[in-house]
Amino acid sequence: MRVLYVYCHPVPESFHGAIRAEALAGLGRAGHEVDLLDLYAEGFDPVLGTMERRHYHDLSRNRQGLEAHIERLQRAEALVVQFPTWCFGAPAMLKGWLDRLIMPGVAFDLSDPANVRPMLGHIRSLAGIVTYGRQRWMAWYMGDPPRKLVTRYLRWFVSREVRVAYHALYHMNVADDARRRDFLRRVGHAMEHFR
């Protein structure tokens, strides 16, 4: 499968860097073709500015400056998003990528506003790899926006039949080395069996 791997963390030597390395190794062992999109390293501009918002609904103009990112998204047969939870949500960089790419004519058809239709049906598998600084119960209490972002929001744009996986390490700030190693192993194994 052609996997678009959207990575969102600014510090290469962070634990997220280790997670990414293990996930990519697992996808490689499975023989997937991976397109790594490192939002920070590539300098993606997450700001949906005045002109971008004005042209958001104009299919002849809303792709300007985003053509390469749109092509990568449209080529993908699978999507993996990896990010830390900050303030019980996705980092602004990832939110900005979604704000700019999940738009009319790319991710959904808005020609009939009363019947909006998803347009990313070519994506057959979807996974989130997410860390949290707090415990699972606290994320649950807050509504767990990162989980919903992957398992509900992104899922809607692909298809009802899409396979969705969610891999979370909760309370990472106090996780010992054994727990972190176990999470790395589980992520590598999951990506090796990603279908």
Side-chain angles (χ1 to χ4, degrees):
M1 270 191 310
R2 286 188 303 274
V3 179
L4 178 60
Y5 194 105
V6 181
Y7 177 74
C8 186
H9 198 286
V11 182
E13 69 275 13
S14 69
F15 182 61
H16 265 271
I19 295 170
R20 179 180 83 175
E22 194 59 41
L24 293 176
L27 290 167
R29 288 190 298 272
H32 296 303
E33 175 189 331
V34 179
D35 176 5
L36 173 60
L37 171 53
D38 184 332
L39 293 172
Y40 283 97
E42 293 187 24
F44 180 76
D45 180 2
V47 178
L48 182 67
T50 303
M51 294 312 291
E52 291 86 4
R53 184 62 187 125
R54 283 183 178 145
H55 299 150
Y56 183 80
H57 292 96
D58 183 347
L59 302 189
S60 69
R61 300 174 83 182
N62 67 356
R63 295 173 179 232
Q64 290 176 353
L66 295 170
E67 295 88 352
H69 283 272
I70 292 168
E71 181 183 345
R72 292 166 83 173
L73 180 61
Q74 290 179 334
R75 278 184 31 84
E77 296 171 309
L79 178 64
V80 178
V81 290
Q82 181 192 334
F83 60 95
T85 299
W86 291 342
C87 300
F88 285 101
M93 177 67 87
L94 179 60
K95 178 66 168 66
W97 186 79
L98 295 170
D99 286 347
R100 298 198 66 199
L101 271 288
I102 304 298
M103 64 178 165
V106 174
F108 57 96
D109 179 352
L110 195 59
S111 57
D112 176 4
N115 185 30
V116 179
R117 294 188 317 269
M119 291 180 61
L120 297 177
H122 55 281
I123 295 177
R124 303 188 316 254
S125 295
L126 172 64
I129 304 172
V130 183
T131 60
Y132 296 74
R134 304 298 295 271
Q135 306 95 317
R136 173 69 179 104
W137 72 264
M138 181 63 78
W140 175 84
Y141 177 76
M142 298 300 287
D144 206 345
R147 183 180 292 268
K148 289 177 181 172
L149 174 74
V150 175
T151 63
R152 295 184 188 182
Y153 178 74
L154 287 176
R155 182 182 194 164
W156 186 87
F157 295 100
V158 289
S159 80
R160 292 171 198 245
E161 291 79 37
V162 69
R163 293 181 291 277
V164 180
Y166 192 77
H167 311 285
L169 176 60
Y170 292 94
H171 219 193
M172 187 187 89
N173 295 342
V174 298
D176 60 18
D177 287 343
R179 245 184 95 216
R180 289 180 184 222
R181 280 193 307 270
D182 180 61
F183 185 69
L184 291 174
R185 181 193 56 75
R186 286 188 289 122
V187 165
H189 182 264
M191 292 297 101
E192 190 171 351
H193 295 88
F194 188 54
R195 303 283 178 262

